[in-house]
Amino acid sequence: MMTSKRFFVFLMIPMVFFADLASTQGQFINHYDSQVVEYHTNHGIVAHVQAIVKGTALLPCDLTPPTPNDSIVLIVWYKGKHTPIYSYDTRTSNNNAHRWQDVSLENRAFFRTMTEPSTLSIENIAENEEGEYRCRIDFMKSPTKNLKVILAVIVPPQKPKIIDEKGKEIETVAGPYEEGGDMKLTCIVTGGKPEPTIKWWRGEKLIDSTETHSGFQNVRSNQLVIKGLQRSDQHAAFTCQASNNNISQPVSATVSIEIYFRPLKVEILSSNQPFSADRMYEIPCQTFGSRPTAKISWWMDGVELKSDKFNYTQTDSADGNTSTSTLMFIPTRLDNDRMLTCRAVNPLVQGGLEENSIKLNVFYIPILHLSLGSNLNPDDIEEGDDVYFECKVNANPWAYKVLWKHNGQVMQQNQKAGIIMSNSDLALQGVSRNQAGNYTCVASNVEGDGDSNVVELKIMYKPICRSDHKRVYGVARHENAKILCEVESYPLPDSFKWSFNNTAETIEVPQTRYNSDVHHSSSTLSYTPVSELDYGTVMCWASNLAGRQLEPCVFHIIAAGKPDPPYNCSILNQTSDSLEVECVEGFDGGLTQYFQLEVYDEQNDILQINVSAKFPLFTVSGLEPGKMLKMMVYAANAKGHSEGITLEGFTLKVAEKQTVLSLGTRDQMEIAPILGILIGIVSALLCVTVIILAALKLRATRRDGSHAIRPGFLPVKEKATLPLRTETEDLYEMDDKNPDVVPANKVSFLFADSDYQLGSEVQTPGPNNSVAVNNEFEGQRIITPLSEAYVTRDRQYQPQHVTNEVTYAELSLARPNTLDTTKNVGNQFPTQKLRDESIIYAQIDHTKNHQPVSTLSAKPSPILSPVSSLFPVKPSMYHREVVTIRTPLMGCQQESCV
């Protein structure tokens, strides 16, 4: 009895919860992949439970007693109406409920009383276990209660399969698709009870799709269509999801898509700088945005540059987004203004072609073509005709300069000479034969200089004699002489004519006497003098298409004689065993001459060497060193040799060998003389330096001593005067040339009211005026004015004591020792040679301040030269006019007298 009470108390707590649950209609309870739905009907409580196959089914059973204080005795579960499958019996003596289950459950069932409500849990539920279940509950007091549970076992669908528009199943990646194209994917789901619902997702976003009929039982399909694929759709993930319940996770399949893109852009990475012809350049071209990588090719004016002839390579970036091709290109001048194109092609995409072109600007050296004027016949140009050339220039950039050359020499424009030039034309007015030759034009631009073809200008002119032919022939009587007449002409001469002229007559030479070679522009006369009258002058004329030669070629036939001796001989390149002798050849006597050198030893007059040469240039070797030589030079021909020219020469001595006694002795012998010479030179220089310094010191001491005592006749602030030339124009000229002296004509009015003024004629000693001086010096004979001034200075000068410092300055002037007769204030006087001192003393007084102009003007103080004031001059003596200027130094209150 006590056991029944405890069991009843144990069941009271869950019964309260079952009572609350039973009062609710349509409540869903999820446990272990099962779903319970309870409904109240007239026949009791009916619960609908869903479970996933192979999952766990939870069958609820409400254990709440109808009456209070009642307890459960037995719980039995039935499948269908009468087949028990599980029991829970509390009628045991050990207070533990007895559990029993049918063998069909295979120990997969377990009744849980602690849950709300109590449930029968069946694991690994099978599809055939779906059906109606009944829970019978026996109470201690209350009547038995039956609860019906309808179990529905859900079968999930199989994993979806995704196929493309071609019917090919897609595992991971769909495509490839073209950019801008459409994508169609179909999701097929098999099985599932109830029938599943199919949805498409892009990432976490649900997208629209279309339900389709597969035509098979238990097979459902759904199609996804994406139109106008873009670059943003690349590698996008699309998921097909199928679900027929809200208990288990939906089944799904995910694929990503691959899209092929056309190239976005192609660019030739080359600057706008021009190219130089015949130089190699690396021209890169880059494209990006193509998938897969685009193939790059190069084209020139629509023609592909094959890689076997033009070297270019392609490299792709690691991500395949960028491709670069580098063209190794050597442009030529023919490539100028042509279009170079870089083309990127993705053949897997419609319209997958992009290209970029640049216009080549190729710089090249000017190409020139020179020709005569179109109206000229190059074979019919005579002297005096006007000729012009045309120079056609093909250059990039355009030539900034065009030069014209004649026989390799640059021509200059000379309109007076009839040479007129421009960048493309050359005109020659009144051409002469000297202007015949090769003409070229040269054009220059930044790439270099280009030469044109050579155009030969042929000018027809009458024959003229060659300047280098032999003009004098020495021929003996009855000797046959061959006289060669050579001319220059264009075209070549076609005939020659000879004549002989002597003092008596002129005779035309018959053609049988001479042979003419018109191909070599020459004619040879065979001439044999017999008597004195056969010596004279032979003349030769040539004729060509332009006419007959105007001035004949003149040859003098003289009696043959000995040649003249050579002259201007000199000895060159003398060594110990050789020397050279060079002379200038004289007249050959009318015959072919040669030259001979004889070398004698001057001491014993023995012939050393005898040398002959065609020209007077000899190289003598094999001589003995250190010899005095006498050399004789002759000129000789068939008539004999000339007088000899005597030369004296020598060969150099060979350096003497020295016997080395010992290293120390040799060094002493070599160093001792040199050291003595150096010591002597240094001593002499020191003595000269000491003498010069002593003389300079003595001179400076004398000057300092002469200035140590200031002359007593010069008061402080006295103005120093300069003796100048007496001519007024000379004075002005000197003032204008000396920037430190104020001109007299300017100072006269600037300092009219001050004591800074020029000395007047009255103040200047001269033949017409005099200056009052101390009687002590009157009547003295003037011998040396400078010495007398020094004597007077020593006698009369007493040092003046001043409170402030007085500075003395010495001015040395270079003066001429003689004076010529000059003008002095309009009068002329003879002038004797005078010797004046060249030192003028000036005193700078620091104590005296400058006075106003009005004060100074009231006290004019004419100042004279100390030398002039000391010595009166006789009327016959000439004295130069003295100009005195005192210029104040404004800043430091000093005065400078010049």
Side-chain angles (χ1 to χ4, degrees):
M1 187 66 182
M2 291 297 294
T3 302
S4 299
K5 290 183 179 180
R6 285 197 299 269
F7 182 74
F8 176 77
V9 174
F10 177 75
L11 293 177
M12 286 297 294
I13 297 174
M15 288 180 181
V16 177
F17 295 98
F18 279 106
D20 295 335
L21 180 61
S23 62
T24 303
Q25 298 184 10
Q27 183 176 1
F28 293 83
I29 304 174
N30 295 319
H31 294 287
Y32 302 100
D33 297 334
S34 64
Q35 187 179 48
V36 179
V37 182
E38 294 183 352
Y39 297 96
H40 290 277
T41 63
N42 296 330
H43 302 285
I45 298 176
V46 179
H48 290 268
V49 177
Q50 292 180 344
I52 304 299
V53 66
K54 296 183 180 181
T56 301
L58 298 179
L59 306 180
C61 183
D62 186 7
L63 301 182
T64 305
T67 59
N69 299 325
D70 200 353
S71 61
I72 298 173
V73 176
L74 178 65
I75 301 173
V76 181
W77 281 93
Y78 298 89
K79 182 181 179 185
K81 295 183 179 180
H82 305 291
T83 304
I85 60 173
Y86 193 90
S87 66
Y88 182 85
D89 190 359
T90 60
R91 295 171 299 179
T92 59
S93 58
N94 56 2
N95 297 327
N96 290 328
H98 180 266
R99 300 175 185 268
W100 171 87
Q101 57 181 319
D102 187 63
V103 289
S104 61
L105 294 180
E106 299 177 352
N107 294 324
R108 295 181 290 115
F110 183 80
F111 185 70
R112 303 176 186 277
T113 59
M114 300 303 295
T115 60
E116 299 177 2
S118 299
T119 56
L120 175 64
S121 173
I122 304 175
E123 297 178 352
N124 196 16
I125 194 72
E127 185 178 359
N128 56 4
E129 292 177 327
E130 183 182 49
E132 179 180 330
Y133 290 83
R134 180 168 59 90
C135 176
R136 192 194 75 183
I137 307 170
D138 294 336
F139 297 99
M140 183 69 69
K141 300 178 181 179
S142 301
T144 299
K145 183 172 68 172
N146 291 285
L147 298 175
K148 185 187 293 185
V149 178
I150 298 176
L151 174 63
V153 178
I154 298 174
V155 180
Q158 296 180 9
K159 184 178 180 180
K161 294 182 179 181
I162 300 176
I163 61 175
D164 57 13
E165 57 271 10
K166 298 179 182 180
K168 180 182 177 181
E169 183 179 355
I170 306 301
E171 296 291 340
T172 55
V173 179
Y177 299 96
E178 292 186 10
E179 180 183 5
D182 298 339
M183 180 189 70
K184 294 181 180 181
L185 296 178
T186 302
C187 180
I188 299 176
V189 179
T190 302
K193 188 182 74 170
E195 288 187 349
T197 301
I198 302 175
K199 297 179 180 179
W200 283 93
W201 299 78
R202 179 174 180 173
E204 297 180 356
K205 182 180 179 182
L206 181 64
I207 56 179
D208 296 333
S209 60
T210 303
E211 189 78 22
T212 59
H213 299 281
S214 63
F216 299 95
Q217 187 178 4
N218 295 329
V219 177
R220 296 178 62 85
S221 61
N222 191 293
Q223 189 178 63
L224 173 66
V225 178
I226 303 295
K227 294 185 177 181
L229 290 174
Q230 300 178 357
R231 292 179 179 267
S232 58
D233 298 326
Q234 174 74 346
H235 295 160
F238 293 90
T239 302
C240 174
Q241 189 180 85
S243 175
N244 59 356
N245 64 85
N246 57 0
I247 301 175
S248 63
Q249 292 292 332
V251 292
S252 61
T254 302
V255 295
S256 60
I257 62 173
E258 177 75 14
I259 306 175
Y260 284 170
F261 304 130
R262 62 180 58 90
L264 283 178
K265 187 177 181 181
V266 178
E267 184 177 5
I268 297 178
L269 304 177
S270 178
S271 62
N272 294 326
Q273 297 296 327
F275 299 94
S276 293
D278 301 325
R279 297 183 184 178
M280 179 173 287
Y281 292 90
E282 294 183 0
I283 305 178
C285 176
Q286 189 177 79
T287 179
F288 59 90
S290 176
R291 188 174 183 88
T293 56
K295 181 181 178 182
I296 299 177
S297 58
W298 293 87
W299 301 71
M300 181 76 75
D301 283 347
V303 178
E304 184 178 4
L305 305 180
K306 299 296 183 180
S307 59
D308 55 346
K309 295 183 179 179
F310 297 87
N311 183 19
Y312 58 87
T313 57
Q314 178 173 339
T315 57
D316 302 324
S317 61
D319 58 359
N321 185 55
T322 303
S323 298
T324 303
S325 176
T326 302
L327 172 66
M328 308 300 292
F329 183 56
I330 303 178
T332 64
R333 65 181 184 86
L334 300 178
D335 295 325
N336 187 43
D337 291 335
R338 299 181 69 181
M339 298 300 296
L340 179 64
T341 302
C342 175
R343 181 177 297 176
V345 179
N346 186 351
L348 302 177
V349 181
Q350 267 189 335
L353 186 147
E354 289 290 333
E355 62 182 24
N356 178 241
S357 300
I358 60 172
K359 188 175 183 180
L360 295 179
N361 184 15
V362 181
F363 282 5
Y364 53 89
I365 296 175
I367 307 298
L368 298 92
H369 178 73
L370 179 63
S371 61
L372 275 173
S374 58
N375 298 328
L376 296 177
N377 182 3
D379 298 325
D380 188 20
I381 299 176
E382 298 182 3
E383 284 187 299
D385 292 346
D386 293 340
V387 178
Y388 66 96
F389 295 87
E390 295 178 352
C391 182
K392 297 180 180 179
V393 182
N394 177 15
N396 184 36
W398 190 247
Y400 61 84
K401 179 177 65 175
V402 176
L403 298 178
W404 292 88
K405 289 186 177 181
H406 176 217
N407 293 332
Q409 301 297 322
V410 178
M411 301 178 62
Q412 302 294 335
Q413 178 161 311
N414 188 350
Q415 293 186 357
K416 293 183 179 179
I419 302 176
I420 303 173
M421 300 184 199
S422 67
N423 285 342
S424 59
D425 298 292
L426 170 65
L428 303 177
Q429 296 176 343
V431 295
S432 63
R433 63 176 177 270
N434 296 328
Q435 292 176 302
N438 295 328
Y439 284 82
T440 57
C441 55
V442 180
S444 304
N445 63 3
V446 295
E447 290 295 312
D449 301 333
D451 296 328
S452 71
N453 56 303
V454 178
V455 174
E456 183 181 4
L457 177 61
K458 300 177 181 179
I459 301 176
M460 299 173 60
Y461 61 94
K462 300 175 183 179
I464 60 173
C465 296
R466 289 186 58 176
S467 59
D468 56 348
H469 69 278
K470 185 176 180 180
R471 296 181 180 275
V472 179
Y473 287 83
V475 185
R477 292 183 182 181
H478 305 286
E479 180 183 359
N480 187 17
K482 300 293 183 181
I483 302 174
L484 179 63
C485 176
E486 293 181 303
V487 296
E488 296 176 353
S489 67
Y490 182 80
L492 296 176
D494 50 20
S495 64
F496 284 86
K497 178 183 178 182
W498 290 83
S499 68
F500 176 77
N501 183 20
N502 58 14
T503 57
E505 58 184 345
T506 299
I507 303 173
E508 185 174 347
V509 178
Q511 294 185 0
T512 57
R513 298 287 302 275
Y514 57 87
N515 296 322
S516 300
D517 187 358
V518 294
H519 297 289
H520 294 86
S521 301
S522 64
S523 178
T524 304
L525 172 65
S526 179
Y527 187 78
T528 303
V530 176
S531 64
E532 292 293 337
L533 295 177
D534 293 334
Y535 292 98
T537 301
V538 178
M539 292 173 288
C540 168
W541 286 271
S543 300
N544 65 355
L545 188 61
R548 183 181 177 183
Q549 183 175 346
L550 298 178
E551 296 292 336
C553 301
V554 180
F555 304 93
H556 301 281
I557 309 299
I558 63 174
K562 297 179 181 180
D564 291 343
Y567 59 95
N568 285 349
C569 294
S570 58
I571 301 175
L572 307 173
N573 299 330
Q574 293 172 272
T575 65
S576 60
D577 60 352
S578 65
L579 52 82
E580 293 180 2
V581 177
E582 183 178 3
C583 301
V584 178
E585 62 183 39
F587 177 63
D588 59 2
L591 299 174
T592 302
Q593 65 177 348
Y594 63 94
F595 300 91
Q596 187 174 2
L597 171 66
E598 297 177 354
V599 181
Y600 296 89
D601 189 339
E602 191 176 29
Q603 294 182 354
N604 50 28
D605 206 20
I606 298 176
L607 179 63
Q608 301 289 323
I609 291 178
N610 188 1
V611 181
S612 297
K614 187 177 181 179
F615 301 101
L617 177 61
F618 306 94
T619 300
V620 182
S621 60
L623 300 174
E624 295 182 5
K627 291 290 185 179
M628 299 299 296
L629 305 174
K630 181 177 68 174
M631 288 164 281
M632 301 291 293
V633 182
Y634 302 94
N637 61 12
K639 297 298 182 180
H641 61 79
S642 67
E643 296 180 359
I645 301 298
T646 303
L647 300 175
E648 292 184 357
F650 59 90
T651 56
L652 301 179
K653 295 181 180 180
V654 179
E656 297 181 357
K657 297 183 179 179
Q658 297 181 356
T659 303
V660 180
L661 300 177
S662 64
L663 182 60
T665 305
R666 183 186 64 182
D667 294 341
Q668 294 175 1
M669 294 176 64
E670 292 179 354
I671 296 176
I674 299 175
L675 185 60
I677 294 173
L678 292 177
I679 293 175
I681 294 174
V682 173
S683 301
L685 291 175
L686 289 176
C687 292
V688 172
T689 304
V690 171
I691 292 173
I692 294 174
L693 292 176
L696 294 176
K697 182 66 176 176
L698 180 61
R699 182 178 178 183
T701 303
R702 289 177 179 177
R703 289 181 178 179
D704 293 342
S706 63
H707 292 170
I709 303 176
R710 178 170 177 77
F713 53 79
L714 294 178
V716 178
K717 291 286 286 184
E718 195 70 21
K719 303 181 184 67
T721 58
L722 269 178
L724 303 176
R725 288 182 293 179
T726 56
E727 292 181 1
T728 306
E729 59 273 20
D730 294 342
L731 173 63
Y732 292 163
E733 179 183 358
M734 178 181 292
D735 292 342
D736 290 337
K737 292 182 179 179
N738 191 348
D740 295 330
V741 178
V742 181
N745 58 344
K746 299 178 182 179
V747 177
S748 60
F749 68 90
L750 289 174
F751 304 101
D753 297 333
S754 66
D755 57 349
Y756 300 99
Q757 52 188 310
L758 298 175
S760 64
E761 294 182 2
V762 179
Q763 301 163 352
T764 303
N768 296 330
N769 52 30
S770 62
V771 179
V773 295
N774 197 318
N775 294 330
E776 184 179 351
F777 300 98
E778 291 181 358
Q780 295 183 358
R781 186 176 180 180
I782 300 176
I783 299 176
T784 307
L786 183 59
S787 60
E788 293 295 332
Y790 288 158
V791 172
T792 306
R793 178 198 65 190
D794 296 336
R795 291 179 180 179
Q796 295 185 354
Y797 178 73
Q798 296 297 332
Q800 298 181 7
H801 300 281
V802 294
T803 56
N804 295 329
E805 180 182 359
V806 177
T807 303
Y808 296 94
E810 176 181 331
L811 175 64
S812 297
L813 299 177
R815 298 180 180 179
N817 294 329
T818 61
L819 293 175
D820 296 334
T821 304
T822 58
K823 296 179 182 180
N824 185 16
V825 197
N827 298 325
Q828 295 184 355
F829 298 93
T831 305
Q832 296 180 355
K833 294 184 179 180
L834 297 178
R835 186 177 183 87
D836 290 340
E837 60 173 344
S838 60
I839 299 176
I840 296 178
Y841 296 94
Q843 176 182 359
I844 301 176
D845 188 359
H846 298 278
T847 60
K848 185 175 181 180
N849 297 328
H850 299 300
Q851 298 299 329
V853 176
S854 59
T855 305
L856 293 176
S857 61
K859 298 179 180 181
S861 177
I863 305 300
L864 304 178
S865 170
V867 179
S868 302
S869 62
L870 284 175
F871 306 101
V873 182
K874 296 180 181 181
S876 61
M877 300 295 293
Y878 166 74
H879 282 261
R880 290 172 291 174
E881 183 181 8
V882 177
V883 179
T884 303
I885 300 173
R886 183 176 65 185
T887 304
L889 301 180
M890 301 183 65
C892 58
Q893 296 182 355
Q894 296 180 356
E895 295 179 357
S896 174
C897 297
V898 181

